[in-house]
Amino acid sequence: MRDTSKSLYVRATQVIPGGVNSPARAFGAVGGNPLFFDRGEGSRITDADGNSYIDYVCSWGPLILGHSNPRIVEALKRVIESGTSFGAPTRVEIELADLVCEMVPSIEMVRMVSSGTEATMSAVRLARGHTGRTKVMKFEGCWHGHADSFLIQAGSSALTTGAPDSPGVTDGTASDTVTAPFNDLETVEKVVQENKDELAAIIVEPIAGNMGVIPPSPGFLQGLRQMTSDLGIVLIFDEVISGFRVAPGGAQELYGVTPDMTTLGKIIGGGLPVGAFGGKKEIMSDISPLGKKVSQAGTLSGNPLAMTAGVEMLRALREPGVYDQLEASAAKLAAGWEANIASTGLGYTINRVGSMMTMFCTQEEVTNFEAACGADQDAFSRYFWGMLEGGVYVAPSVFEAAFVSTVHSGADIEQTIEAHGKALAKV
Ligand SMILES: *Cc1c(COP(=O)(O)O)cnc(C)c1O
């Protein structure tokens, strides 16, 4: 029974466009109406009708410790009594900044904001201000939030709403963004050469997560690093998903490639609204009130509740064994899915990096956006509803990742594999 969700959805659509405050939540790609949720505890979420599901959306990535992590909840209870916002500096901002700079050594200085969108938008403005150049390169299918300059060949909800180039983005803005296919260094080289005196930055998800999970091909990130170093272009790794997800130091640690700037979000907020951008001191020293005074500001930036949640999150992730456990759980899940795929003969492709993975309903290898678009949407939709019937909540779109958390138990993984097998049998 999902009647309560349905009636809440009908009510929501009267006052909230589409009934959702972010289009990725709408069930546009799978049909039906979104579920409304009342509770999250550990690996499980409970909807408004009282149905319980094992959750692999995990708020689209932030909840790497699962829902209502006791350590984060306790810390929030402690600080909430001391005031929720000052609009002035607090100690906890330094604590989180110290942790970020220690865990991600390429970040020498960092500024906190309230969302991933703000982080990428500000990072690109800073790169432009710092270099005095205009253009930005991004990759087809990569999502960097909803600032105008990124809504060109963007991933995630822009894909499922069928509007990759959004109305409202001016031709002028669009013409300052150039694109290339992910994992295609040859095309990158060509586009970079054509625009080399104008390119301020190349921004990339080092592990694509918003066209489904697509790892970088061997040499891709190294190639970007080489080209940008040679030409004085700022290399920005958008690690809003991969940061603290695939290793304590993110994808840059995993692949051993050091960007000039990094954008963070999702996990860094411990489930509260936080984003951050940082990098070389030389570049960060051009942000207002310093250097060239590149503009950036935020009434609630560095909010004490959000910073506290972030500090507890990162401290928990620094404890020994966390990433080994995540890898073991995710590997077990992927192996179970692979076995199900083999026994049904569907030949579907699974891409996985650590605790982020996507099953693409296609037999082709998926290394870029074009290949991701070749996946069977109808089959995915039937699969999605089958998983729900089996008590498992995965993202309602093929262009998303499943996130494994530290609290997905062995029993959760087994139930998920069983549900997956049954769902596949019906696609
Ligand atoms: C989610 C995401 C963003 C945007 O973050 P918001 O907090 O939703 O604004 C930017 N970049 C990447 C890679 C993301 O996954």
Side-chain angles (χ1 to χ4, degrees), residues 291-374:
K292 295 181 178 166
K293 294 193 169 50
V294 174
S295 177
Q296 186 273 321
T299 302
L300 292 173
S301 292
N303 171 268
L305 289 176
M307 295 296 103
T308 298
V311 165
E312 291 305 322
M313 172 67 97
L314 296 194
R315 283 188 185 148
L317 291 176
R318 292 189 96 183
E319 281 172 9
V322 172
Y323 290 89
D324 291 340
Q325 190 210 329
L326 284 165
E327 168 62 27
S329 299
K332 185 175 164 192
L333 184 65
W337 285 15
E338 295 281 10
N340 290 336
I341 290 167
S343 70
T344 50
L346 286 164
Y348 289 167
T349 298
I350 291 181
N351 282 357
R352 179 176 77 89
V353 181
S355 58
M356 54 192 282
M357 64 190 245
T358 297
M359 180 186 77
F360 293 93
C361 298
T362 172
Q363 303 192 351
E364 306 298 319
E365 208 189 349
V366 180
T367 58
N368 60 27
F369 178 45
E370 200 185 340
C373 290

Side-chain angles (χ1 to χ4, degrees), residues 56-232:
Y56 291 94
V57 178
C58 291
S59 192
W60 306 94
L63 304 182
I64 194 167
L65 305 176
H67 293 267
S68 308
N69 174 267
R71 178 173 179 165
I72 295 176
V73 171
E74 284 311 311
L76 286 174
K77 281 183 187 163
R78 274 200 308 277
V79 296
I80 201 166
E81 304 252 317
S82 320
T84 55
S85 183
F86 303 102
T90 54
R91 286 166 209 264
V92 67
E93 291 164 74
I94 316 172
E95 285 173 33
L96 187 55
D98 276 340
L99 274 167
V100 169
C101 294
E102 276 171 43
M103 291 172 80
V104 189
S106 74
I107 301 184
E108 296 170 350
M109 294 184 112
V110 61
R111 186 150 283 177
M112 302 296 168
V113 290
S114 300
S115 69
T117 295
E118 279 183 79
T120 55
M121 178 186 81
S122 308
V124 162
R125 184 183 304 130
L126 178 54
R128 284 176 165 145
H130 180 73
T131 58
R133 300 177 187 168
T134 324
K135 289 188 178 173
V136 177
M137 175 186 274
K138 74 176 286 290
F139 292 89
E140 292 162 15
C142 280
W143 172 256
H144 304 293
H146 64 96
D148 284 12
S149 51
F150 301 122
L151 294 176
I152 322 289
Q153 306 263 2
S156 197
S157 53
L159 294 176
T160 48
T161 53
D165 301 311
S166 171
V169 176
T170 65
D171 292 344
T173 298
S175 69
D176 285 335
T177 301
V178 296
T179 64
F182 193 70
N183 278 334
D184 180 352
L185 269 184
E186 216 172 296
T187 305
V188 176
E189 172 83 51
K190 204 172 124 256
V191 179
V192 164
Q193 285 305 329
E194 281 163 12
N195 296 279
K196 66 176 181 201
D197 298 327
E198 293 171 286
L199 267 179
I202 294 183
I203 185 167
V204 65
E205 290 180 77
I207 302 162
N210 288 288
M211 46 181 155
V213 173
I214 303 184
S217 300
F220 178 63
L221 298 175
Q222 288 82 353
L224 295 181
R225 178 65 283 180
Q226 189 61 52
M227 252 182 262
T228 47
S229 295
D230 290 348
L231 296 167

Side-chain angles (χ1 to χ4, degrees), residues 233-268:
I233 298 166
V234 178
L235 180 61
I236 306 172
F237 278 5
D238 181 357
E239 299 227 44
V240 170
I241 287 185
S242 57
F244 314 111
R245 163 66 58 185
V246 296
Q252 53 196 276
E253 177 182 325
L254 191 65
Y255 296 107
V257 179
T258 306
D260 302 304
M261 292 186 72
T262 302
T263 53
L264 297 166
K266 299 196 167 109
I267 290 175
I268 196 182

